[in-house]
Amino acid sequence: MKIRVPATSANLGPGFDSCGIALSQYLTIDIGPETQKWQIKHQLGSNIPSDEKNLLIQTALDLAPNLTPHQITMTSDIPIARGLGSSSSVVVAGIELANRLGNLGMTPQKKVSYATKIEGHPDNVAPAICGDFVVASYNNNEVNFVKHTFPDCDVIAFIPNHELLTSESRAVLPKEMSYRDAVKASSIGNVMIAAVLNGNLPLAGKMMEKDILHESHRQHLVPHLKKIREFCKAYGGYGSFLSGAGPTVLVLTPPENTEKLVTALKAFDHEAEIDVLSVEKEGV
Ligand code: HSE
């Protein structure tokens, strides 16, 4: 039995802690035979536990404490601590592991609610569970969300070769903002979402670059964002945004402009990984 969870990109600019898309990179869990103790085979680094201390098993056992141990093979092409939902993918895989082995019959709503309580915000876990484009709110312990088709486009991921921890990237955010700015932020986000729903990527991309909730406060942690935004404009991309808490930046582009943008981004930073992805329609 296999469980496949997509990478995700949260925020899409102004949809901070609320909007996210699933992407065509995956964490895959292969469930092998029953064993005496949980055994996780992986090549994801020596600091990632290979026993029940692994986040995958911890999440599964929190949900279903009596699960029978199995041998698990875990592979992932989602880079760690780059803003592409690597830790959310493990949490979601753990929930799905418990759901399948424990026959819990969890609905997407239950999975998203459970995962959001662990992560603290739904913008990575919801698209990892549902696929495609998800808009979600998390208030008073209640998660409400809507999944919708994201318009066709290429998604260029500019992945710097250094990590940025979400905790570090959240620590620079202000504690408060003025009522006037909150109204402005909400109107920018609303138009971005409405444009996505209408399939209007030029307008959605424009609004994605107008965020005032988090990107400006994180600018000093991700100095490459400004330059990538210039390339996006010069080579016909729809728009660019910090992927989740960064440091990855995504550029949405019509496929005919992908090559020019990739060439420019490669010349800009030889050490960054540049991947051409698409929005993944399926969740876990
Ligand atoms: N919305 C979150 C943030 C996503 O930007 O901090 C990162 O997990």
Side-chain angles (χ1 to χ4, degrees):
M1 186 163 46
K2 262 190 207 293
I3 293 172
R4 193 183 78 155
V5 187
T8 47
S9 179
N11 301 332
L12 308 189
F16 180 68
D17 275 2
S18 169
C19 295
I21 45 174
L23 294 168
S24 55
Q25 281 181 329
Y26 307 93
L27 165 72
T28 306
I29 303 294
D30 224 317
I31 306 168
E34 288 184 16
T35 42
Q36 293 290 80
K37 287 184 173 173
W38 291 97
Q39 291 169 17
I40 322 289
K41 290 189 189 166
H42 68 79
Q43 294 187 323
L44 303 173
S46 54
N47 53 340
I48 297 188
S50 301
D51 55 16
E52 73 282 349
K53 289 192 202 75
N54 191 295
L55 178 62
L56 174 83
I57 307 304
Q58 288 198 339
T59 308
L61 290 178
D62 275 348
L63 190 55
N66 297 324
L67 290 180
T68 310
H70 282 70
Q71 191 184 80
I72 308 271
T73 307
M74 195 171 175
T75 50
S76 182
D77 51 13
I78 308 174
I80 292 171
R82 298 297 203 286
L84 289 165
S86 61
S87 79
S88 292
S89 72
V90 178
V91 166
V92 168
I95 292 170
E96 190 60 14
L97 181 67
N99 184 42
R100 301 239 189 126
L101 289 182
N103 288 316
L104 305 183
M106 290 175 85
T107 59
Q109 174 71 53
K110 277 211 159 137
K111 292 181 204 171
V112 172
S113 297
Y114 195 83
T116 299
K117 278 179 193 143
I118 297 172
E119 287 289 285
H121 38 85
D123 46 345
N124 287 110
V125 292
I129 289 165
C130 304
D132 227 321
F133 171 55
V134 181
V135 182
S137 71
Y138 182 39
N139 289 304
N140 299 328
N141 266 340
E142 186 186 71
V143 186
N144 289 288
F145 62 93
V146 174
K147 173 186 175 181
H148 198 277
T149 310
F150 199 82
D152 284 341
C153 64
D154 279 351
V155 181
I156 303 173
F158 177 96
I159 309 171
N161 76 341
H162 61 88
E163 299 186 351
L164 175 57
L165 295 178
T166 298
S167 51
E168 195 187 332
S169 193
R170 285 183 88 83
V172 300
L173 301 177
K175 297 275 175 286
E176 286 173 7
M177 75 190 291
S178 71
Y179 185 77
R180 184 197 290 242
D181 280 349
V183 171
K184 196 165 141 190
S186 152
S187 70
I188 294 168
N190 293 344
V191 175
M192 184 276 282
I193 293 165
V196 169
L197 302 195
N198 261 353
N200 186 344
L201 278 178
L203 178 58
K206 180 176 167 189
M207 302 318 285
M208 284 170 188
E209 297 192 351
K210 291 189 184 298
D211 167 62
I212 57 168
L213 290 171
H214 69 109
E215 282 191 359
S216 49
H217 304 292
R218 291 170 161 169
Q219 184 69 51
H220 62 290
L221 298 174
V222 285
H224 49 281
L225 174 61
K226 195 162 171 256
K227 192 74 196 164
I228 294 170
R229 200 150 270 173
E230 285 169 22
F231 287 128
C232 175
K233 202 177 170 70
Y235 294 104
Y238 292 123
S240 56
F241 52 88
L242 193 60
S243 184
T248 293
V249 174
L250 297 191
V251 180
L252 304 186
T253 178
E256 62 271 23
N257 295 338
T258 302
E259 207 181 311
K260 284 180 280 184
L261 268 157
V262 168
T263 306
L265 294 173
K266 280 188 177 157
F268 167 58
D269 185 341
H270 299 284
E271 287 175 12
E273 188 181 317
I274 319 277
D275 292 341
V276 179
L277 308 174
S278 56
V279 175
E280 167 58 60
K281 303 288 168 195
E282 297 294 320
V284 68

